[in-house]
Amino acid sequence: MLPLKGPATAERRSAPRQAVTYRLDVITTDGCAGFLLDVSTNGLRARFKQGLDVGATQAIRIEFPRWLELGKGLELSGRFVWV
């Protein structure tokens, strides 16, 4: 077996992702619940229990833990691009 030269998959993103250290819950306006995986300047990645409408622009709420003392959370909207 030959050794690999460099990473198996090259990073093609224009902005690096930053992993989320603490669990942050994400809730859509229609009640779908998930949690945040990582963020970048181009967007965020979250995992949801239910399937979402790809291509739809939707509002979400990111819930902050109480101990962070940053308020209840952050409301924003964006387009879901893949599931």
Side-chain angles (χ1 to χ4, degrees), residues 6-78:
T9 58
E11 181 62 50
R12 300 180 306 177
R13 301 184 190 294
S14 60
R17 290 182 174 181
Q18 178 65 44
V20 176
T21 305
Y22 301 103
R23 182 181 174 115
L24 296 175
D25 293 327
V26 179
I27 302 169
T28 64
T29 54
D30 58 355
C32 291
F35 59 94
L36 196 59
L37 296 170
D38 57 47
V39 296
S40 75
T41 57
N42 296 333
L44 58 87
R45 188 168 60 123
R47 176 165 289 162
F48 288 89
K49 293 179 182 178
Q50 302 90 358
L52 301 171
D53 186 13
V54 176
T57 300
Q58 192 169 4
I60 63 170
R61 178 175 184 77
I62 300 173
E63 303 266 330
F64 296 146
R66 223 179 268 182
W67 60 267
L68 281 176
E69 298 180 358
L70 294 173
K72 290 189 173 189
L74 177 65
E75 294 188 25
L76 42 98
S77 63

